[in-house]
Amino acid sequence: MLNVAFKSLLLALFLASSAMVAKAADTDLVKVPSPHSVEQTADNLVAAVEKAGAKVFARVDHAAGGKSVDMEIPANQVVIFGNPKLGTPVIRDAPEAGLDLPIRVAIIETDNGTILVYHAPASLAAAHGLPADHPSIGKMTGALKNLTAKASE
């Protein structure tokens, strides 16, 4: 009898924690609408990043990749960029954070228009055991908010 109750308790705890993880994953994404095309929004983001003194490392065109194998998807680009002054302290304090840096912003064509999407830097801190008030995380949060706002102007 106790074994059944214990198993039921474990199952309930597992389901509750799974729901919390799913909820965290949902709230971890920041979405910013843009009135421009994916191409123009990505161009705007690259220009804003470069003007801010950060470095664009890559621009990935997923739709073009799909076309190269005869598959169609809506316009979808990812801009990968960073600023070593912000990212290096994060990687110094949590080396595995290098899996999530440099920053990536997806620009996606949806049924409701173009959106910019990125992981909230606070979720990066949480995922890698950094304090929520880590100085670089706060600066990344502000930078991403500003850069995506400029891209969507």
Side-chain angles (χ1 to χ4, degrees), residues 60-151:
V60 180
D61 187 335
H62 289 301
K67 284 181 185 175
S68 75
V69 293
D70 297 323
M71 298 175 77
E72 296 285 329
I73 62 172
N76 183 322
Q77 294 189 24
V78 176
V79 177
I80 302 168
F81 62 93
N83 180 336
K85 288 181 182 179
L86 297 180
T88 302
V90 171
I91 295 170
R92 178 197 61 219
D93 296 342
E96 67 279 4
L99 289 169
D100 296 316
L101 295 173
I103 296 292
R104 297 172 310 278
V105 175
I107 302 101
I108 304 167
E109 179 184 315
T110 72
D111 291 340
N112 297 319
T114 301
I115 59 170
L116 297 102
V117 183
Y118 61 90
H119 288 281
S123 67
L124 180 143
H128 298 291
L130 293 168
D133 63 350
H134 189 284
S136 286
I137 297 298
K139 291 175 184 173
M140 284 180 189
T141 300
L144 276 165
K145 184 178 179 180
N146 291 336
L147 293 169
T148 56
K150 288 183 188 308

